[in-house]
Amino acid sequence: MSNTTNVSIGIIGAGWVAEHAHLPSFLSMEGVSIGAVYDTELSRAAHLAEQAGARACTSLSEIDQIPLDGVLVCTPNHTHYEIAKYFLQQGIHVLCEKPMTTTAEEAVSLRRIAEVSGAVLLMGFVNRYRDDIRELRSRITSGHIGDVQVCEVIWRRKKGIPRPGSWFTQQKLSGGGVLIDLGSHMIDQMLFLTDAPEPVACLAGLHSRPVQQGGYSNWLGSVESQTVEVEDTAIGMIQFANGMLGRIHVSWQDDVEGDAVEIHLKGNRGSMILRTLFGFSNQGLYKQPSLQFSRAGEDPEWFTFPPKTDVLIEFRRQAQHFVDCIRETKQPYITAGDGERVIRLIQLLYQSAHKGLVAT
Ligand SMILES: NC(=O)c1ccc[n+]([C@@H]2O[C@H](COP(=O)([O-])OP(=O)(O)OC[C@H]3O[C@@H](n4cnc5c(N)ncnc54)[C@H](O)[C@@H]3O)[C@@H](O)[C@H]2O)c1
């Protein structure tokens, strides 16, 4: 496909992330059109299709009539496997929202299907395209802190359960709570930033409280019911085959002053701490991201990033990468294998939360 050929994209699941993050990102690109919007709810499909100048579909047989080069899968977690499989088997490229699937078995199967089909399966770990993460990764690979021996990834929200009572908080539809939701991004960061090998052991714990009232982050939408079946907080320790220790702490509702992401890395030559925030919260703890760098035994230096003015910058970069992969028939920067590794580790952490220490 040449660089000037139009790329036609289908949106599967016309919910929050499709409307507020993916659609504006794809619509801002030259030579890209939205061919179809498919949602099981006609009103949702029609609402987005109108904005996109696309056809609204409510069945797969309808969307099959429309020629598409790629699709974005942004439906509830438990549907990712069947939907991504359906399109990959037809050779249609897929950008799949996190988590890739809700079980490791499905993830292995989906990776194999993508390999056989030759179509691109780009995992939607969108935070990898952020400037602060790129800077952190670049400093690690250029040896600023030496070999990474400890990596702690933390994302804590003050009040941020996504729509309590909705599919996000129903075990069968989401595959879990905050660990599979925010944890998908954070485990991906841990593995990507450190080039971590296979895990050899892990220990995790889950915690839940009744839904806290009031002061909700505006972008999350309404409380659908007070019934939240899944954990709102998860803490886990992971030992990797090279001896590196990982720690994850994610929470949808926690006793913190504001929402924040922190990544702490300790190596044999120094350490780094990134203080930032992922996502769309309006309750951030830090005004702007900052990076603290310490050479072993010396005082720290600080590097401050400009405040983010384009909230969708990482979504635009992700959309551009997906289209480039389609046009140039190249393998994506974030692969199905990456998606599979993340869900395998999340599954181990859930097993540990129920059984105690898990050794692989
Ligand atoms: N990367 C990020 O920052 C980010 C942010 C939010 C959500 N997400 C992910 O995106 C996905 C969607 O999240 P959301 O917040 O947009 O959810 P949502 O509930 O707002 O939207 C989901 C949409 O999918 C539709 N749907 C349900 N089952 C379907 C099916 N079988 N076929 C077609 N459509 C179907 C629903 O009607 C709804 O319109 C989730 O996997 C979530 O984890 C990622």
Side-chain angles (χ1 to χ4, degrees):
M1 186 182 272
S2 91
N3 275 351
T4 51
T5 313
N6 182 69
V7 171
S8 178
I9 299 290
I11 295 182
I12 315 300
W16 192 91
V17 78
E19 178 170 6
H20 298 282
H22 293 296
L23 182 62
S25 302
F26 279 91
L27 285 181
S28 68
M29 291 169 67
E30 296 277 322
V32 176
S33 59
I34 306 297
V37 179
Y38 164 53
D39 197 292
T40 42
E41 282 192 33
L42 175 61
S43 60
R44 290 294 321 161
H47 174 68
L48 244 68
E50 195 184 338
Q51 293 178 44
R55 213 170 112 189
C57 306
T58 51
S59 71
L60 289 171
S61 55
E62 258 182 282
I63 203 168
D64 281 347
Q65 311 302 312
I66 301 165
L68 297 172
D69 299 299
V71 293
L72 317 177
V73 177
C74 19
T75 48
N77 299 349
H78 74 295
T79 65
H80 291 182
Y81 174 68
E82 288 296 340
I83 294 175
K85 176 175 151 186
Y86 181 84
F87 289 101
L88 287 169
Q89 284 178 331
Q90 298 177 55
I92 296 176
H93 308 290
V94 172
L95 165 49
C96 184
E97 260 301 349
K98 44 56 63 171
M100 182 155 104
T101 57
T102 51
T103 67
E105 295 70 25
E106 286 175 347
V108 173
S109 164
L110 200 56
R111 173 181 48 79
R112 290 191 181 136
I113 290 165
E115 283 164 5
V116 170
S117 77
V120 167
L121 173 50
L122 171 63
M123 265 311 301
F125 294 130
V126 70
N127 297 299
R128 286 216 210 167
Y129 304 88
R130 294 174 57 94
D131 288 336
D132 49 13
I133 291 298
R134 286 178 167 182
E135 175 71 23
L136 193 59
R137 168 77 183 166
S138 144
R139 286 179 183 238
I140 294 166
T141 52
S142 39
H144 277 53
I145 60 168
D147 295 332
V148 182
Q149 293 159 340
V150 180
C151 174
E152 298 171 277
V153 291
I154 301 150
W155 187 347
R156 295 166 81 187
R157 285 184 185 153
K158 190 174 171 160
K159 286 186 184 174
I161 302 178
R163 302 206 311 267
S166 73
W167 70 263
F168 272 105
T169 63
Q170 296 175 44
Q171 177 69 35
K172 268 169 60 181
L173 308 184
S174 58
V178 69
L179 181 56
I180 200 164
D181 182 40
L182 305 186
S184 285
H185 287 298
M186 301 317 291
I187 293 285
D188 177 61
Q189 289 296 330
M190 184 188 287
L191 301 179
F192 155 70
L193 287 169
T194 66
D195 290 314
E198 288 301 300
V200 290
C202 68
L203 181 64
L206 309 176
H207 185 256
S208 303
R209 279 180 179 172
V211 178
Q212 286 168 242
Q213 302 299 319
Y216 238 67
S217 235
N218 60 353
W219 66 273
L220 287 160
S222 54
V223 175
E224 294 183 15
S225 96
Q226 297 297 316
T227 312
V228 170
E229 296 172 2
V230 292
E231 81 284 355
D232 65 37
T233 298
I235 299 177
M237 306 269 283
I238 307 129
Q239 190 165 39
F240 292 92
N242 62 354
M244 187 182 88
L245 187 67
R247 183 174 77 91
I248 179 166
H249 182 165
V250 280
S251 184
W252 278 335
Q253 53 175 10
D254 216 337
D255 301 323
V256 287
E257 280 176 50
D259 300 357
V261 164
E262 289 189 9
I263 299 179
H264 297 238
L265 294 144
K266 195 165 182 193
N268 55 344
R269 291 171 51 192
S271 60
M272 286 193 284
I273 303 174
L274 176 68
R275 296 184 174 91
T276 186
L277 183 55
F278 295 170
F280 300 87
S281 162
N282 63 343
Q283 305 191 134
L285 181 62
Y286 306 119
K287 285 201 177 71
Q288 57 202 101
S290 71
L291 184 60
Q292 179 183 325
F293 165 55
S294 313
R295 284 185 189 82
E298 292 181 17
D299 288 342
E301 295 164 26
W302 276 272
F303 178 81
T304 308
F305 295 85
K308 222 172 148 210
T309 48
D310 178 0
V311 288
L312 291 183
I313 189 158
E314 56 268 28
F315 279 91
R316 290 187 215 284
R317 288 173 176 164
Q318 176 178 254
Q320 185 64 58
H321 180 59
F322 185 49
V323 169
D324 289 347
C325 288
I326 294 174
R327 285 207 171 111
E328 297 162 30
T329 341
K330 64 177 184 187
Q331 273 309 301
Y333 160 59
I334 310 174
T335 64
D338 293 335
E340 178 190 326
R341 275 179 15 110
V342 167
I343 197 66
R344 278 210 335 256
L345 188 40
I346 286 174
Q347 194 162 296
L348 282 180
L349 289 164
Y350 275 127
Q351 278 169 11
S352 164
H354 296 114
K355 293 197 318 205
L357 183 70
V358 172
T360 60

